[in-house]
Amino acid sequence: MPLELWLAGVVMVSLNLYALGAGADFGGGVWDMLARGPRERAQRETIAHAIGPIWEANHVWLILVIVLLFVAFPVAFAALATALHIPLTLMLIGIVLRGSAFTFRGYGGQDDAVQRRWGRTFAMASVVTPLMLGVCAGAVASGAIRMRGGRVVTDFVSAWLAPFPLSIGLFTLALFAFLAAVYLTLETEDRPLQDDFRRRALLAALAVGAMALVCFLLSSSGAPSIRRGLAREWWSLPFQAVTGLVAAGAIGALWTRRFPLARVLAMAQVTLVLWGWGLAQFPYLIEPDLTFEAAAAPATVLRPLLAALGAGAVVAGPSLLYLYRVFKAR
Amino acid sequence: MSDLFAARSQMAMSLAFHIVFASAGIAMPVLMAVAEALWLRQGDEAGRALARRWAKGTAILFAVGAVSGTVLSFELGLLWPAFMAFAGPVFGMPFALEGFAFFVEAIFLGVYLYGWDRVSPRAHWLAGAMVALSGTLSGIFVVIANAWMNTPAGFRLEGGRVVEVEPLAAMANSAALSEALHMTLAAFAAVGFAVAAIHAHRLRREPRNLFHRRAVAIALTVGGTAALLQPLSGDLSARVVARSQPAKLAALEGQFETERGAPLRIGGWPDEAARRTRYAVEIPYGLSLLAFHDPHAEVRGLDEFARADRPPVAVVHVAFQVMVACGAAMALTALVGAGLFLRRRRLPDAAWYLRLVTLTGPLGFVAMEAGWTVTEVGRQPWIVQGVMRTSEAVTPMPHLAFPFVSFTILYLFLAAVVIVLLRRQVFASPRLGADAAAEKG
């Protein structure tokens, strides 16, 4: 397998883990915003308790994705940062406000007004960030970012401010909210509270399904080559079938209150969606002018980088497992 | 405001903001670990209370540091895409390593902050030590990448294309060691002094408060040691700059003419039109001696460089003077403190000395900002010294004043909130009884 494919794989795995970890942390913010009913306060506390120890570690996957892009696929990084300057900047503001507001709320004392103010900031930023992340992914998939001679030739707005990227933004938001609600069912022993999150997870699953359909319909004009990939390759049909079954399974497991199973299936669902996109877009890193191969840095860079990634994984991997064992034993 | 200037301002502002929080992320865990060790080994209650309080402060500072660091990693591409397309593969290796160091740091900080009752005391202390170690490493990796921009290595240019890239040779660039050393010491000195100053201020009002006493002792030991070592590392840095970036050296010394036995200028104002530095105190042979360890060595002046290749002289010269002055004041304060300690074998707690420590408190961060101004402005007009100009690297995106202003407002707001929170939650004297319950969180 060529070196750049290994690296593309590592980028995808990192993005995948970012979605499964940080994605759910953002989803938690969505449920903080939508906390309602007699257990409003308990819902918020459960969310804060679940996110607190792990959000910063989960966040590092995004840094890793960025670093891997600029070391291994520098032309692509430059092109994305140019064409998507505006949504990426909005996403960054979301990241800054989410992280700081969450911490300020946690350490800001018990004053209710203070709690509410930071809580609202935290929740709003938790919505903006996944939305913009999805918009950027949608723009990359849409094929609207055009390049010539290694430079972006499209303007700074039209590639992402379009129905398809925006629908992918909403889809991402729904997916993250779904993941979070499913995880949260396992963050409490309290049955009514668990039911709150179960109901939210089921509603979010409906939203995910609806948005998936919207994205699929929009893709015929909004992202034609991805649509081809998802509809007409030899693997398309079985892949779609498996994803559909997993999604239905997750709903079934939630319905029958088998929460650990629901968590596994929800994670599998997000993973399948992400890799489906990756496979449909392959061999393009940015549709339709830049392939992974054309964007790749020379082998003298990729080889030591892979070695460093291996060494880093030996250190960070067990540490991450330890973190999850200490705080997420259930 | 031109787009290039807006981009440079945004980058400078983002770095200036982040470096404060990043330094806290490096040095605060060391202070916490020392305080917690006092509790574990000697059952020192003040040590335990301090570790808990400082952990709260670290949580706040680290969170803001983590998100503002993320902003920087994106800004490399958002503002300088052409630079990253060219340099990413060459100098990116330390960033990849930093990614893992940051992972370890974030993971064990989570364990430290939320694991007081979940892991054994020993494991808890070890988690703190891991945060300190990985925080220091991650700072070192990032500074190595910056050093490459000053002394690029590990590649060859062939008709405008980068060939023969060797990431490890790029990491081993000539400024890597001196810059990493200088910045690491700066982080410990600045944070140590700032923390010591705040607690010294409180200790002056409540001389018997053990909490503040212990805090001053720990922070001053860490900060003072770093401040005393810093002049040595500064000497190393200056000699590397003299060898590898003569235009930067000339700018930071206000040296316009090439000269053997050049004097060291203290203070003064470089007048670019008149091509001389006015009102400076000149120490004969001083510059040649310091920069090359030879009183008769030749120092190249700014006149040797085309106007388009010179950094802005006044900013760099003044920033350098500020950095050295602050560093000297801190080193002297540390020296006096060490003298007092050795004579009486106890914490130097005389009111005048505590006042001195309070006054020196902010200087470490002033020196740090001034030092980064010297490094970054002194490299202009290059983004990669001698290879790529900053103007060639900037994004084609228009209206860059807009994100610059937005991020500035955002950061000013965050800074204000952080200051209020630290005052209330971290540095206030503990209330008896009430704190034991409040500290649980």
Side-chain angles (χ1 to χ4, degrees):
Chain A
M1 200 160 86
L3 283 171
E4 73 267 11
L5 278 193
W6 284 100
L7 277 151
V10 180
V11 171
M12 280 301 280
V13 169
S14 308
L15 208 53
N16 199 165
L17 291 168
Y18 180 72
L20 294 178
D25 296 339
F26 286 110
V30 175
W31 297 121
D32 180 290
M33 176 184 266
L34 300 176
R36 289 284 126 81
R39 288 168 296 279
E40 183 179 331
R41 200 185 180 107
Q43 288 170 13
R44 292 215 168 95
E45 274 165 12
T46 309
I47 293 164
H49 188 78
I51 298 177
I54 53 166
W55 73 268
E56 278 163 317
N58 287 337
H59 174 74
V60 184
W61 290 112
L62 181 65
I63 312 254
L64 194 62
V65 169
I66 290 302
V67 170
L68 287 175
L69 276 181
F70 72 60
V71 183
F73 304 104
V75 187
F77 176 70
L80 294 175
T82 307
L84 302 173
H85 187 113
I86 298 169
L88 285 175
T89 300
L90 293 174
M91 183 177 101
L92 279 178
I93 293 175
I95 286 175
V96 169
L97 282 176
R98 193 280 301 242
S100 9
F102 180 73
T103 309
F104 294 163
R105 185 178 68 172
Y107 292 91
Q110 300 302 313
D111 183 351
D112 268 354
V114 174
Q115 292 276 321
R116 256 202 309 281
R117 176 155 22 98
W118 292 127
R120 214 173 301 133
T121 313
F122 158 66
M124 261 157 41
S126 297
V127 171
V128 170
T129 309
L131 203 61
M132 288 300 137
L133 183 69
V135 164
C136 291
V140 172
S142 73
I145 302 174
R146 300 305 304 262
M147 300 177 63
R148 206 173 302 128
R151 280 176 188 282
V152 179
V153 291
T154 26
D155 61 82
F156 300 97
V157 177
S158 57
W160 60 272
L161 196 60
F164 180 73
L166 292 175
S167 69
I168 295 288
L170 289 171
F171 181 51
T172 310
L173 185 61
L175 267 182
F176 286 179
F178 170 64
L179 260 189
V182 174
Y183 291 179
L184 284 165
T185 57
L186 287 160
E187 291 285 344
T188 173
E189 310 272 351
D190 182 47
R191 176 86 183 218
L193 198 54
Q194 208 167 41
D195 278 333
D196 285 351
F197 291 125
R198 170 174 172 265
R199 207 164 39 246
R200 282 161 172 73
L202 286 167
L203 286 172
L206 285 182
V208 168
M211 279 321 299
L213 186 65
V214 171
C215 293
F216 188 74
L217 293 176
L218 285 173
S219 68
S220 61
S221 63
S225 62
I226 298 289
R227 169 66 166 261
R228 263 196 305 283
L230 280 177
R232 290 192 211 142
E233 294 286 338
W234 62 266
W235 50 267
S236 311
L237 213 61
F239 195 91
Q240 302 265 28
V242 170
T243 311
L245 277 178
V246 168
I251 293 174
L254 278 170
W255 195 261
T256 53
R257 309 183 58 85
R258 271 175 271 189
F259 297 127
L261 178 65
R263 177 166 65 180
V264 172
L265 291 173
M267 291 169 81
Q269 184 184 348
V270 171
T271 306
L272 284 167
V273 168
L274 196 69
W275 285 84
W277 165 40
L279 282 175
Q281 194 175 305
F282 191 79
Y284 294 102
L285 207 173
I286 303 176
E287 286 267 5
D289 293 326
L290 192 65
T291 59
F292 281 98
E293 198 186 347
T300 55
V301 174
L302 300 185
R303 231 173 273 122
L305 180 61
L306 276 170
L309 288 170
V314 171
V315 181
S319 310
L320 205 57
L321 288 178
Y322 174 68
L323 178 74
Y324 272 80
R325 233 198 43 213
V326 171
F327 294 103
K328 308 277 157 188
R330 298 216 302 149
Chain B
M1 184 183 261
S2 77
D3 280 323
L4 174 61
F5 188 70
R8 282 182 57 196
S9 307
Q10 185 178 334
M11 200 69 194
M13 193 275 302
S14 306
L15 277 166
F17 182 79
H18 175 69
I19 196 71
V20 174
F21 297 91
S23 302
I26 291 171
M28 286 305 293
V30 172
L31 302 187
M32 292 171 344
V34 174
E36 195 176 359
L38 286 179
W39 154 247
L40 289 177
R41 288 234 173 145
Q42 305 167 6
D44 179 357
E45 283 289 343
R48 178 165 170 275
L50 264 179
R52 291 228 167 192
R53 280 296 193 80
W54 281 343
K56 275 188 176 183
T58 307
I60 298 167
L61 296 167
F62 186 85
V64 178
V67 294
S68 60
T70 309
V71 171
L72 277 171
S73 63
F74 276 83
E75 276 174 346
L76 288 171
L78 291 174
L79 300 174
W80 318 106
F83 161 60
M84 291 310 283
F86 147 70
V90 192
F91 87 143
M93 181 59 106
F95 283 111
L97 297 172
E98 190 263 349
F100 286 106
F102 185 30
F103 248 129
V104 174
E105 196 182 355
I107 289 166
F108 286 102
L109 189 73
V111 174
Y112 193 89
L113 295 178
Y114 291 83
W116 292 96
D117 308 319
R118 285 188 182 243
V119 298
S120 72
R122 214 182 134 88
H124 190 262
W125 184 84
L126 271 175
M130 288 297 282
V131 179
L133 181 70
S134 51
T136 306
L137 273 178
S138 78
I140 288 174
F141 286 134
V142 175
V143 174
I144 287 177
N146 176 269
W148 180 86
M149 294 165 72
N150 287 308
T151 55
F155 68 102
R156 225 161 42 76
L157 281 179
E158 207 175 78
R161 277 173 38 98
V162 185
V163 294
E164 293 171 28
V165 182
E166 287 177 53
L168 295 181
M171 273 185 80
N173 67 76
S174 27
L177 176 67
S178 59
E179 264 199 47
L181 196 61
H182 205 52
M183 180 58 217
T184 308
L185 286 173
F188 285 111
V191 173
F193 266 83
V195 171
I198 295 165
H199 288 287
H201 178 67
R202 307 260 171 178
L203 185 59
R204 221 151 33 98
R205 296 193 187 158
E206 308 165 53
R208 276 163 219 273
N209 189 319
L210 211 57
F211 176 79
H212 294 307
R213 270 192 93 77
R214 199 66 83 238
V216 172
I218 296 171
L220 204 54
T221 308
V222 171
T225 310
L228 284 173
L229 291 172
Q230 191 64 304
L232 298 175
S233 113
D235 173 62
L236 181 63
S237 285
R239 282 186 291 137
V240 170
V241 170
R243 248 184 295 127
S244 54
Q245 293 179 288
K248 185 188 271 183
L249 181 79
L252 61 85
E253 291 294 346
Q255 180 80 32
F256 284 91
E257 283 171 26
T258 298
E259 178 171 18
R260 287 188 173 279
L264 182 71
R265 292 181 190 79
I266 296 174
W269 181 260
D271 183 339
E272 287 195 57
R275 298 176 42 251
R276 52 179 290 229
T277 299
R278 296 176 196 277
Y279 319 119
V281 177
E282 298 198 352
I283 299 172
Y285 304 105
L287 177 55
S288 292
L289 194 62
L290 280 178
F292 297 97
H293 288 195
D294 166 9
H296 300 290
E298 182 183 86
V299 176
R300 294 169 69 190
L302 286 159
D303 286 352
E304 280 201 25
F305 303 91
R307 275 217 168 261
D309 293 348
R310 288 184 205 167
V313 188
V315 177
V316 178
H317 178 69
V318 171
F320 183 66
Q321 306 300 309
V322 169
M323 176 187 79
V324 173
C326 292
M330 290 162 71
L332 282 176
T333 306
L335 205 59
V336 171
L340 290 171
F341 172 76
L342 288 178
R343 243 193 14 219
R344 306 224 190 101
R345 291 275 153 199
R346 54 181 293 229
L347 178 72
D349 58 356
W352 67 269
Y353 187 71
L354 293 180
R355 190 187 299 266
L356 180 66
V357 170
T358 309
L359 288 175
T360 354
L363 296 188
F365 283 108
V366 175
M368 191 183 283
E369 301 291 0
W372 278 109
T373 307
V374 172
T375 318
E376 295 297 284
V377 180
R379 195 188 56 239
Q380 302 304 322
W382 305 100
I383 192 165
V384 182
Q385 179 75 47
V387 178
M388 182 183 245
R389 284 173 194 276
T390 314
S391 57
E392 300 169 305
V394 72
T395 178
M397 173 87 194
H399 310 301
L400 289 178
F402 197 72
F404 165 53
V405 172
S406 312
F407 276 105
T408 306
I409 294 171
L410 180 62
Y411 282 178
L412 283 174
F413 167 68
L414 291 186
V417 176
V418 167
I419 290 169
V420 171
L421 283 185
L422 289 183
R423 276 185 67 131
R424 280 204 208 135
Q425 302 292 322
V426 181
F427 294 113
S429 308
R431 287 153 299 151
L432 288 173
D435 254 54
E439 301 285 325
K440 282 264 174 187

